[in-house]
Amino acid sequence: MSETVPVPNGLPTERDAGPFDPPCAITRLRTARPVSPLRFPDGHEGWLVTGYEEARRLLADTRFSSRQDLGVMHVPYDVPGMPVPTEPSPQIPGVFIAMDPPDHTRLRRRLTGAFTVKRMKELEDHIVDIAERQLDALARLTPPVDLVEEFALPVPSLVICELLGVPYEDRATFQSNTAKFLVRDQAFDEKMAAYGAMTGYLAELVTRKRAEPGEDILSDLARQEDLTVEELTGCAFLLLLAGHETTVNQLALGTFALLEHPEQMVALRADPELIPDAVEELMRYLSVADIFYRYATEDIELGGETIGKGSTVVVSLLAANRDPRRFENPDTLDVRRKARGHLAFGHGVHQCLGQQLGRIEMRAGFGGLLRRFPTLRLAVPADEVRLRTDMNIYGVHELPVTWTETAP
C-alpha cells in the first residue's frame, strides 16, 4: 500500500471550495486515485472511494457489509449521527440500513408496499396540497423570513407525520431531538440523551399503535406480531429521521443554490416542465447525505486496488456525483441536465426506500416556491448564510429570504 491519506477528524468534510462543492482534498483524491488508502485518527488504515463507477460497484456489492457489529466502522454514517465506536457495535433492532441480507431483507420488505411508485403517485396531489397550504402561510408573512422554519422544515415534517401516524403536534419534540442527535461533534452523553428521548417517545407510540392501530405506516407495521417493539421502534426511528431531515435540507440548500444561480431560476420559471430534471440535478449537485461506510467481508478488487478483508471502506457520494468521468462539467449546476443515475439516493439493496416520496416533495416544494414568489431573493449576503458544517446531514441552519411580490 502506498502512502496513505491521513484523516485527522475522520474525513475531510469542509466544503472549502464553496458552500455547494466537495472538499478540495476529496476532489484531488478522486482525480489522482478514485480508490485511495486512508488512515483514521486511531491509526487504523482503510479506504476512501470517490469515483462514480467505483462507488456504484461498491454499493451494489453485498460483500461490502453495512453491519457495525462486524468490525470497527469508525463513523457509521449509515445511521446518521450515531456515535463513533472504538470497537464493534451491536446491531440496533429495526435499523435495517445497518444490516445485511437476510436481516435487512426481512425488515425492508415489510415497508416496500408503503413506498411503491404507484402508492406515491396516488399521494402526489395530497403532498402538493400540503406544500401549497404552507406556501399560503408563507405568503401571509412579512419578509424577511427564515425559509427553513417557515417552509423547508414544515412540509416534509407534515408529510412524514401523516404517513407514519406521528402526531404533528409532537413535531417540536422529535425535531429538537433529531437536530441534537445529528450534531457532529458533541459529548457522547448528549447524543445518547437525544437518541434515548426519540426512541423512548417512539416506543410508546408504536406500543399504542399495536393496541389501537390506525391507517398509517407504523400501524401497518405494528399489526405484524412477529416484529418486536424494539424492532418497531428502530424502524420508526429510521423512517422519521430519514423521512424529514434529508428532504428538509435538500429543499433549503437547493433553494440557496438556485438563488445563487439566478440563470437557473429564470430557466425553471420559463419552463416549469424542467422541475423534475432540476430535482435530480440538485440531488446530484448537492448530495446532502454524503459519507457512507462499509466493511469488507473478504478480499475484494475495486478500482484496480485490492481491499483486504476486514477493511473499513468509506464512500463519498458527493465526490462520486461530481465525477467528470460520469457527468460532463460536473461542478456546474444545470437544471437541463439529465442527471438520472446519480447516487444521491444510494444504490443497491440500501437504495433509499423513500426516494419517490422525496422526489414528489421536492417537485412540489421547488415548483411552488418559484411560482408563488417570483421575486424571491436572499435577505442577507450569501456568505452570512449559516451552513450545517457541524451536522451529519449538510444544509443550512437558516435561510433568510425576502420578496416584493407574490403570485396566486
Side-chain angles (χ1 to χ4, degrees), residues 96 110-111 114-115 119-120 123 126-127 130 156-168 170 174 178 198 201-202 205-210 212-223 232-245 353-354 357 361:
F96 53 88
R110 310 299 179 96
L111 290 158
F115 290 97
R119 175 109 188 258
M120 291 300 105
L123 287 170
H126 183 55
I127 292 169
I130 289 174
S157 295
L158 275 162
V159 171
I160 201 65
C161 281
E162 281 198 18
L163 284 178
L164 295 184
V166 175
Y168 187 60
D170 294 345
F174 75 73
T178 295
M198 289 175 67
Y201 164 76
L202 291 169
L205 180 64
V206 297
T207 299
R208 291 201 306 270
K209 289 184 179 297
R210 176 151 276 178
E212 296 181 25
E215 297 300 320
D216 54 73
I217 290 174
L218 292 186
S219 291
D220 290 345
L221 285 174
R223 289 186 179 95
L232 292 171
T233 301
C235 285
F237 163 72
L238 182 59
L239 292 170
L240 188 60
L241 183 73
H244 81 282
E245 275 290 341
L353 184 64
L357 174 63
E361 291 175 301

Side-chain angles (χ1 to χ4, degrees), residues 101-286:
D103 295 328
H104 167 268
T105 310
R106 181 179 71 88
L107 290 169
R108 179 169 169 134
R109 70 185 179 193
R110 310 299 179 96
L111 290 158
T112 303
F115 290 97
T116 61
V117 174
K118 181 175 183 291
R119 175 109 188 258
M120 291 300 105
K121 283 189 177 296
E122 290 170 352
L123 287 170
E124 186 163 5
D125 288 345
H126 183 55
I127 292 169
V128 169
D129 286 343
I130 289 174
E132 290 296 326
R133 288 199 300 270
Q134 200 61 41
L135 288 165
D136 289 340
L138 182 63
R140 289 193 291 268
L141 299 176
T142 301
V145 302
D146 173 17
L147 196 73
V148 175
E149 181 179 356
E150 303 297 343
F151 183 69
L153 180 59
V155 170
S157 295
L158 275 162
V159 171
I160 201 65
C161 281
E162 281 198 18
L163 284 178
L164 295 184
V166 175
Y168 187 60
E169 57 268 23
D170 294 345
R171 67 191 181 281
T173 298
F174 75 73
Q175 287 171 354
S176 171
N177 285 314
T178 295
K180 291 175 184 175
F181 179 74
L182 289 173
V183 173
R184 181 176 290 140
D185 297 318
Q186 66 172 314
F188 178 84
D189 290 349
E190 293 176 6
K191 188 177 286 285
M192 285 297 92
Y195 175 71
M198 289 175 67
T199 53
Y201 164 76
L202 291 169
E204 291 182 6
L205 180 64
V206 297
T207 299
R208 291 201 306 270
K209 289 184 179 297
R210 176 151 276 178
E212 296 181 25
E215 297 300 320
D216 54 73
I217 290 174
L218 292 186
S219 291
D220 290 345
L221 285 174
R223 289 186 179 95
Q224 300 179 45
E225 295 183 0
D226 62 317
L227 295 179
T228 66
V229 170
E230 290 76 19
E231 287 177 319
L232 292 171
T233 301
C235 285
F237 163 72
L238 182 59
L239 292 170
L240 188 60
L241 183 73
H244 81 282
E245 275 290 341
T246 49
T247 309
V248 168
N249 287 291
Q250 188 67 39
L251 279 172
L253 190 65
T255 301
F256 183 25
L258 289 172
L259 290 170
E260 287 296 282
H261 296 80
E263 76 287 353
Q264 301 298 306
M265 293 187 75
V266 169
L268 288 176
R269 288 195 174 106
D271 185 5
E273 295 297 315
L274 290 174
I275 290 290
D277 285 340
V279 166
E280 302 303 320
E281 171 67 347
L282 286 164
M283 291 290 299
R284 179 201 71 84
Y285 184 71
L286 300 172

